[in-house]
DNA sequence: ATTTTTATGAAATATTTATTTCATTTTATG
DNA sequence: CATAAAATGAAATAAATATTTCATAAAAAT
């Protein structure tokens, strides 16, 4: 039986290998992150064997040639990457679309994984810092994106008391006049980007306020107007976008903010707790 | 100044790109896990541009040739990969803000998987049927749950023109008086359940309207008042709940509805498309 | 509408990379 | 320590891949 995983195949055949072959196998295993991208001659040079020996090694493992071996090494690396995710992943077997809920939830899990993989944690951290520093925070979100905007506005205003969303209006909101360089503007826009969102952000960028855009793609029209860009994938097989991933990013922003400022936030929440109790806001 | 990160370089040069170049950039960004391993000719074939254009794209971004661009794409992928590996090792011990995004996204992926596993597809289908049958749809959502309510209201009203959300108000909304047995009421409530949500649902149940509750737990106080119950897990390690999973359920509801009623919906969307064009709602 | 500029892809060419050949060295075996 | 068998690397050849050329098409400017 022929092993499908390259590394297992190597380990399995380890005893039958010549000295040079063992050296090659060793190198491939030790440099599993870089070796899959080397050409045959460079690999030969690094391992200090002849080029031909590298080629023979590929044949020895029953591959059709060096490019074939290389392809398998690269694929194994990618598999490792996804399995390195903290989360036990959904077995792709149960991903056949038995019905719409499962299909959409499945797609959204993919979206979140992709978002997790491509998120730039340094940028995220900077955004949290800007939120802490900001005198006022303005949120720009129109049409469907309002949902995410509402969520952010609710919690940011709860915690910081300095946040408001600029609502869809016929004319341009008067609030835009008030924005100064000490403020932070968060723009939310996803595929079928609403023109007004782009225009407002463009206008805002003229004042010296810092801007954050949360969008679905690095080539989105909002990107040019964001000092910081957070990308959350929203693609599902539907005429709408799904905002699961942006929602998660929003939750992460609020969570990070409260952790960074936990002393202030705890004080504030204690006060609120009293208020909520007085007005019997929650069910228990 | 020349950007070192390939993707940043692409974003920076985005405006100066020709149509074909944008197509290539798009493809590279969307397939960032596979594209770095393609040869120039295969990439050209996938993007449906000439081979030469791909080469030109590499020069355009100031690389020495296609292999150089390819090397940078691969390196960028590896950087992300190793940072994913680092994440795999860091457990909940260190709560530095840098890892909060990954932590929350990871938790939310878990939430979505759990939601996927426990969702009752039969109930989901029934809910979609009730939405189709309903004369009017009312959405009850207060405080943070408003975000999900907004999303549902936006699209349901877009498609069916018979949906509204009952907003948080000091007194009880007058809309409640209008609810009849032909209507559908969707209640949204998650942990720290707002008392008013429960009360309003309780009241609604006295009329003979059908009710759906979307909540985070089968023991939630909303459950007794729902003819249909959809459970979406929202737990993250934070003082807030994350609504990624409920958002995905909402997207699924709208998607299922549009698929079931695609003739009507397509007609409606066609009309809207004209309106949107007239008022130049979308960018591009 | 017409000209000029720019971008494009097919094909030709150049370069790089993989494979084979073959003389030589190493290793295993009696 | 011979001798056969196996393995090796340098060089030659083959194959694949990248780059350039050039005629044509698309966009932009006039």
């Amino acid at each position: 039986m022929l092993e499908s995983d390259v590394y297992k195949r190597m380990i399995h055949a380890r005893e039958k290998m010549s000295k040079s072959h063992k050296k090659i196998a060793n190198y491939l295993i030790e440099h599993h992150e870089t070796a899959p991208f080397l050409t045959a001659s460079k690999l030969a040079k690094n391992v200090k064997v002849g080029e031909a020996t590298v080629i023979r090694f590929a044949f020895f493992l029953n591959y059709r040639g060096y490019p074939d071996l290389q392809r398998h090494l690269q694929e194994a690396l990618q598999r490792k990457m996804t399995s390195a995710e903290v989360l036990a992943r959904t077995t792709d077997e149960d991903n056949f679309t038995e019905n719409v809920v499962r299909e959409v939830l499945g797609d959204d899990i993919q979206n979140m994984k992709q978002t997790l993989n491509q998120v730039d944690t340094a940028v995220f951290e900077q955004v949290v810092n800007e939120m802490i520093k900001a005198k006022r925070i303005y949120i720009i979100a129109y049409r469907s994106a309002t949902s995410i905007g509402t969520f952010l506005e609710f919690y940011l205003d709860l915690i910081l008391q300095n946040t408001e969303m600029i609502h869809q209006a016929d004319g341009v909101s008067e609030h835009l006049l008030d924005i100064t360089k000490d403020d932070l503007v968060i723009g939310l826009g996803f595929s079928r980007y609403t023109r007004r969102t782009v225009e407002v952000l463009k206008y805002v960028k003229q004042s010296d306020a810092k801007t954050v855009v949360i969008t679905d793609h690095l080539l989105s029209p909002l990107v040019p107007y964001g000092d910081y860009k957070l990308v959350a994938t929203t693609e599902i097989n539907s005429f709408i976008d799904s905002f699961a991933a942006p929602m998660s990013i929003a939750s992460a922003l609020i969570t990070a903010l409260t952790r960074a400022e936990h002393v202030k936030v705890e004080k504030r929440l204690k006060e609120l707790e009293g208020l909520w109790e007085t007005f019997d806001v929650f069910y228990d």
Side-chain angles (χ1 to χ4, degrees), chain A:
Chain A
M1 191 208 72
L2 214 51
E3 188 56 64
S4 71
D5 180 77
V6 211
Y7 295 102
K8 283 183 185 158
R9 209 184 272 202
M10 282 196 266
I11 290 160
H12 193 253
R14 140 178 47 74
E15 283 129 349
K16 291 167 195 159
M17 285 182 195
S18 70
K19 238 176 175 176
S20 302
H21 282 185
K22 273 184 191 151
K23 271 168 77 184
I24 295 169
N26 248 320
Y27 186 94
L28 290 181
I29 288 169
E30 275 170 24
H31 301 80
H32 66 276
E33 289 199 356
T34 51
F37 308 120
L38 299 175
T39 63
S41 66
K42 275 179 194 153
L43 177 58
K45 210 173 143 198
N46 291 358
V47 184
K48 295 202 177 69
V49 298
E51 205 174 331
T53 306
V54 169
I55 304 300
R56 288 187 195 106
F57 182 77
F59 288 133
F60 168 78
L61 289 179
N62 266 100
Y63 291 106
R64 319 176 71 147
Y66 182 74
D68 191 29
L69 166 62
Q70 196 182 38
R71 210 192 78 238
H72 279 81
L73 288 168
Q74 289 173 356
E75 277 171 5
L77 182 57
Q78 274 187 252
R79 268 201 304 284
K80 187 157 176 277
M81 186 170 53
T82 47
S83 70
E85 293 168 355
V86 191
L87 25 114
R89 50 153 171 235
T90 38
T91 45
D92 287 331
E93 306 122 44
D94 60 359
N95 256 358
F96 62 86
T97 58
E98 165 185 321
N99 62 49
V100 183
V101 222
R102 292 177 182 279
E103 181 189 336
V104 171
L105 278 164
D107 285 354
D108 258 337
I109 289 172
Q110 281 305 117
N111 283 333
M112 309 245 323
K113 282 183 184 173
Q114 201 177 326
T115 303
L116 177 62
N117 272 329
Q118 70 186 10
V119 73
D120 189 328
T121 53
V123 170
F124 181 85
E125 211 173 343
Q126 287 165 337
V127 171
V128 174
N129 281 328
E130 293 290 350
M131 292 199 304
I132 292 169
K133 272 178 20 201
K135 210 163 159 192
R136 292 199 62 77
I137 300 177
Y138 294 94
I139 295 168
I140 298 167
Y142 297 122
R143 299 178 62 82
S144 56
T146 309
S147 53
I148 306 290
T150 301
F151 184 82
L152 274 175
E153 183 195 26
F154 179 82
Y155 280 116
L156 289 180
D157 202 50
L158 190 81
I159 296 166
L160 303 170
Q161 303 126 274
N162 68 350
T163 303
E164 67 191 294
M165 181 152 67
I166 294 173
H167 286 97
Q168 184 156 32
D170 310 74
V172 166
S173 170
E174 317 77 44
H175 289 299
L176 293 178
L177 289 173
D178 305 335
I179 296 174
T180 77
K181 70 172 174 42
D182 302 320
D183 297 334
L184 178 67
V185 176
I186 303 177
L188 297 159
F190 304 89
S191 130
R192 280 323 277 286
Y193 315 93
T194 311
R195 174 174 294 280
R196 186 173 302 278
T197 310
V198 183
E199 283 167 355
V200 170
L201 269 173
K202 195 174 191 170
Y203 174 82
V204 161
K205 206 70 207 81
Q206 291 168 359
S207 61
D208 282 326
K210 284 275 185 305
T211 58
V212 175
V213 301
I214 302 179
T215 189
D216 62 337
H217 204 283
L218 276 175
L219 295 179
S220 121
L222 304 198
V223 165
Y225 307 112
D227 297 318
Y228 306 98
K229 307 140 187 85
L230 292 172
V231 175
T233 313
T234 57
E235 197 167 307
I236 59 172
N237 181 20
S238 176
F239 90 102
I240 61 165
D241 274 12
S242 181
F243 291 164
M247 193 49 116
S248 198
I249 292 282
S251 301
L253 282 172
I254 291 156
T255 300
L257 183 68
T258 57
R259 287 197 196 160
E261 294 277 76
H262 70 275
V263 181
K264 272 192 201 166
V265 173
E266 271 156 32
K267 186 169 159 290
R268 169 76 179 156
L269 283 177
K270 215 170 229 168
E271 291 166 12
L272 284 170
E273 206 60 58
L275 186 76
W276 290 334
E277 197 159 325
T278 306
F279 286 94
D280 205 13
V281 171
F282 294 117
Y283 188 94
D284 34 33

